[in-house]
Each structure stands twice: as C-alpha cells, then as structure tokens.
C-alpha cells in the first residue's frame, strides 16, 4: 500500500533530449496534481481465423504525456516556464522563441520503493489560472520520448523541495488595458492564459516504443478574462466587431514583493452580452487570442 503523502516528483534538465545527465542532481518539484504517465497504443488484429474469437490487439506505440499542476510561487518553476516559452530568461524576461529545453523526471512512490523515469520531456502546453478567490495555479502539460521503471531510487543526488510563498488572487497588481489602469473603470474578476506549442511526436521505425522526436509547431496563445459589466466592458465588447486590438498587462506575486508580469501586446477578443436575474451582479467573459507579437513574462524579485 502506498500513501499519497509519500510520493515525489524529481526533475533534472537534459543537455541532449532523451538523455539523463551523468550523476544527475535531481530537484524535488512541489506539485498539486500529477498525471505524467505512459499510455500504450494498441491496434486490433483483423486476421480472419477458423472461429469467432478475435486475435486481440498488439502494442503499436507509446504516448508519454501528462500534466504537472502546481500552486504558483516565485522562482520555483522558472526552468519549466523557460521550456514552455522555448527560450532563455534574458534580463529576467521570457518571450516565445526556438530554444529547445528538455527534462528527465522521476515519479517516486517512496514507501513502496517504486520509481518511474521519463526522459525527453518537453513542455507542450503551459496554462496560468488566476481565480476570483483562491490560489493562482500553473499547469505544465508534458510530452516525452521514453520511460522506464525501477525498484530503486535513481542514480545521483536528490535535493529537497524549495518552498516559497504561494500566490493568491490577493497578490494580483494593477491590471492595465492599452497602458491605462482598469481600476475604477472596469473590474476584472478572473484571468487565464494558455500557451500551446503544437507538439507532435515523430515516430521512427527501429526505435521500438520510443518516440524519435517531439517537434514543436506554431505557438497558439489564448485565454480569457471575466469583467464586471460597465461602460468600459461595453467598449471592450464593441472591439470584436471591428477586429480591434487590445494590449493587456497582468502582474501577480506574493506579499513579500516577488512578482511576475505577463504582457500581451496584441490580442483580439470575443464575448457575449451579460445576462442575469434582478439580484445578480452582471459580468461577461471575454476570450482572447494573441497575434503578431509574442507575450512577455517578466520576473521581478523583491527589492
């Protein structure tokens, strides 16, 4: 029997995709939920035999994928954020680039001595969710190349989890639209962001179940924000009928002053008129799509 309190996620950056470094220095990564796994693909035999019983199915592929969902905190997930943007942190800022970053990871069930290693992990998607009330979350959807299982801990050293103060809705700063603060003219109650790298597995004959490569495609960036209905909200609503462009900046951080600032220089929106009862507060959700210019994620450490 295994306890949920005795599971861990170890992770280390790779120099070459699919190759765990020699004597790796594993970092223990805090998480909220974890679905990283291998799923075999099967093909049903269509052979006709002298009977009514089919010949079953055969393993013809393997998908290595899953989500790492975590409560956001400063600096804890910066390596994964860089991988999601396919870029390096430059002067404490990230934009979408073409720098491939991969990881090896281990799902450890320590109390029963069971360890599952995944190699060549790319960040296929990254999602940010800021709720009206609650903890801000990061979600990293991973896509990998191969897996293995062992009954002993992986080689190398394992560092304890680095714990930092978690972000909440209270830590959201001044949201701006087209350079002007929204406070006083519009009330944003929730915000989400998703970066999809369009990953596809390239499978090569002769490699067994391992995927030859994970290749990125076009970056699709979208999300939503919910706004209390007001004159300013009505102006945003009208933008969709002329394919109008907006610029959004959303800062979020902790009580100590550490923060990230997500800038979306060019987005288009679509939304619906609000509806509700006599006792309701009217609001509407705008879905947005980033175009032409990369979003920029900045990190600012406390003074």
């Amino acid at each position: 029997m295994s306890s949920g309190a005795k599971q861990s996620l170890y992770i280390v950056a790779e120099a070459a995709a699919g190759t765990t470094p020699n004597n790796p220095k594993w970092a223990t990564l805090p998480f909220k939920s974890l679905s990283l796994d291998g799923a075999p693909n099967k093909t049903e035999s269509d052979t006709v035999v002298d009977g009514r019983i089919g010949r079953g199915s055969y393993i013809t592929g393997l998908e290595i994928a899953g989500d790492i969902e975590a409560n956001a905190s400063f600096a804890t997930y910066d390596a994964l954020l860089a991988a999601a943007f396919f870029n390096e942190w430059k002067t404490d800022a990230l934009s979408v680039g073409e720098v491939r970053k991969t990881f090896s990871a281990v799902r450890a069930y320590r109390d029963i001595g069971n360890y599952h290693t995944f190699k060549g992990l790319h960040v296929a998607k990254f999602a940010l969710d800021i709720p009206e009330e609650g903890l801000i979350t990061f979600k990293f959807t991973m896509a990998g190349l191969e897996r293995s299982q062992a009954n002993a801990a992986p080689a190398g050293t394992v560092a304890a989890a680095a714990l930092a103060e978690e972000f909440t809705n209270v830590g959201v700063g001044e949201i701006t639209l087209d350079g002007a603060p929204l406070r006083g003219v519009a009330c944003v109650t929730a915000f989400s962001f998703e970066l999809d790298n369009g990953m596809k597995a390239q499978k090569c004959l002769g490699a067994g179940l391992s995927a030859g490569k994970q290749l990125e495609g076009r970056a699709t960036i979208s999300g939503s924000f919910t706004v209390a209905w007001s004159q300013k909200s009505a102006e945003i609503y009208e933008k969709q009928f002329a394919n109008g462009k907006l610029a959004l900046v959303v800062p979020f951080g902790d009580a100590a002053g550490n923060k990230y600032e997500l800038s979306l220089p060019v987005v288009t929106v679509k939304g619906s008129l609000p509806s509700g009862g006599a006792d309701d507060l009217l609001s509407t959700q705008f879905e947005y799509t980033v175009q032409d210019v990369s979003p920029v994620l900045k990190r600012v450490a406390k003074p």
Side-chain angles (χ1 to χ4, degrees), residues 86-270:
F86 270 73
N87 217 335
E88 305 278 4
W89 286 96
K90 298 173 184 175
T91 59
D92 287 320
L94 278 177
S95 58
V96 175
E98 297 181 3
V99 181
R100 185 179 307 278
K101 292 178 173 293
T102 63
F103 304 88
S104 293
V106 176
R107 292 192 66 174
Y109 301 91
R110 305 187 313 276
D111 53 353
I112 62 169
N114 184 235
Y115 301 86
H116 297 257
T117 299
F118 303 88
K119 298 181 181 180
L121 292 172
H122 298 65
V123 180
K125 296 179 183 179
F126 164 67
L128 162 70
D129 184 65
I130 302 177
E132 181 175 355
E133 183 174 345
L135 296 172
I136 296 173
T137 59
F138 291 157
K139 184 167 73 172
F140 303 93
T141 298
M142 313 300 288
L145 299 178
E146 57 182 281
R147 65 164 296 279
S148 61
Q149 183 264 351
N151 295 323
T157 59
V158 178
L163 301 178
E165 182 180 347
E166 296 177 355
F167 297 165
T168 75
N169 61 295
V170 177
V172 176
E174 187 81 82
I175 298 174
T176 65
L177 177 70
D178 295 334
L182 282 177
R183 185 181 301 174
V185 295
C187 175
V188 178
T189 60
F191 176 84
S192 71
F193 170 87
E194 181 178 275
L195 166 59
D196 184 345
N197 285 308
M199 301 298 299
K200 290 182 173 62
Q202 185 178 62
K203 300 178 181 180
C204 304
L205 296 176
L209 285 178
S210 299
K213 289 184 178 180
Q214 289 281 354
L215 298 176
E216 67 277 16
R218 180 176 58 181
T220 303
I221 307 164
S222 59
S224 68
F225 56 97
T226 303
V227 190
W229 192 246
S230 65
Q231 184 59 48
K232 189 65 177 179
S233 305
E235 291 176 13
I236 298 172
Y237 171 83
E238 286 300 318
K239 289 279 188 179
Q240 65 186 317
F241 299 106
N243 203 34
K245 311 299 191 295
L246 299 170
L248 277 169
V249 177
V250 181
F252 55 98
D254 59 29
N258 302 299
K259 67 177 182 179
Y260 294 98
E261 183 180 275
L262 180 62
S263 299
L264 308 174
V266 183
V267 303
T268 55
V269 298
K270 64 178 181 178

